[in-house]
Amino acid sequence: MKKIVVLTGAGISAESGLKTFRDSDGLWEGYNIEEVATPEAWRRNPELVQEFYNMRRKSVLEASPNAAHYALAELEKKYDVTIITQNIDDLHERGGSDNVIHLHGIITRSQSSKNPNITYPIEGWELKMGEKCELGSQLRAHVVWFGEAVPMIEEAARVCGQADIFILVGSSLAVYPAAGLIHYVPYDVPKYIIDPNIPYISSDDFIRIEAKATAGVPPLVAKLLKE
Ligand code: APR
């Protein structure tokens, strides 16, 4: 079975109603991302950070997968597929994909603020101050903040190295180490990029599909299922 590796970013969930980061001047729903997505922000004002992620979680739970998420799941009929996503939503899983690596964590789980390896599922949308892990420390969202390690990056790089076909959907490639993953894909495999506003990409062998995810992904999947 051929291996397809798909790297996704915020753009794939835009048509599910979840805002991207860099299409809105670096502000996200009025917040400067550094004010809420860093360890310093958590030390300075944990209530604000908790509230911010509670709102994000609520939006995620209210959103549904779109045609692009569903189409990528269809690829599993014929291919060994791994999705590597920078997104903290669970729309790939709800769209039916079985093999998803969350580089930046997943908002539907909580994490110990002492040990990032201790995580729990969250019931509903709200994580409250005072809810603690088994070590007695406050629970926070299971997401990777700016300045924190990206524990899944090595596994993601290894998987990219196994790709027979590579697809990139809806990422500005502005954030490392995720953006560097494209360089682990073998040079001679077909590589596709789907984005309505294709970012600068430091590799010139991508097949460019300038379209929104729901318009660009399903036809590509249909073509790959016929090959
Ligand atoms: N379909 C496909 N792509 C789209 C769509 C759409 N409907 N709408 C916008 N895009 C594209 C934009 O053109 C842009 O290239 O999606 C990309 C979104 O880029 P970013 O907002 O920078 O999102 P992303 O690349 O996922 O950000 C990476 O940055 O803030 C951190 O941790 C956060 O995981 C995130 C990381």
Side-chain angles (χ1 to χ4, degrees), residues 8-12 14-15 20-23 33 86-87 104 144 146 169-175 194-199 211-214:
T8 67
I12 197 166
E15 290 162 274
T20 65
F21 299 92
R22 286 167 194 85
D23 288 327
I33 203 79
Q86 299 169 78
N87 299 342
H104 296 158
V144 173
F146 288 99
V169 189
S171 175
S172 64
L173 295 177
V175 171
I194 299 174
D195 196 305
N197 187 9
I198 294 182
K212 289 187 174 180
T214 61

Side-chain angles (χ1 to χ4, degrees), residues 58-157:
K58 200 159 185 267
S59 312
V60 165
L61 295 178
E62 284 165 7
S64 303
N66 64 47
H69 298 104
Y70 287 122
L72 290 177
E74 293 290 302
L75 280 175
E76 293 179 14
K77 286 182 183 159
K78 191 168 167 196
Y79 295 94
D80 169 14
V81 182
T82 302
I83 312 257
I84 302 169
T85 188
Q86 299 169 78
N87 299 342
I88 58 174
D89 65 54
D90 61 350
L91 296 182
H92 283 300
E93 285 87 348
R94 282 197 268 144
S97 286
D98 283 337
N99 202 0
V100 186
I101 295 177
H102 279 272
L103 273 184
H104 296 158
I106 185 160
I107 199 168
T108 52
R109 296 186 74 84
S110 64
Q111 172 181 318
S112 158
S113 45
K114 254 193 198 140
N115 179 347
N117 297 319
I118 301 178
T119 71
Y120 308 92
I122 299 175
E123 295 294 327
W125 62 274
E126 198 179 15
L127 184 56
K128 295 196 179 84
M129 298 309 289
E131 285 187 65
K132 297 196 170 148
C133 77
E134 64 216 53
L135 303 176
S137 78
Q138 175 63 47
L139 286 171
R140 50 167 272 193
H142 177 45
V143 300
V144 173
W145 287 329
F146 288 99
E148 290 188 319
V150 180
M152 293 308 290
I153 196 71
E154 281 176 23
E155 169 70 359

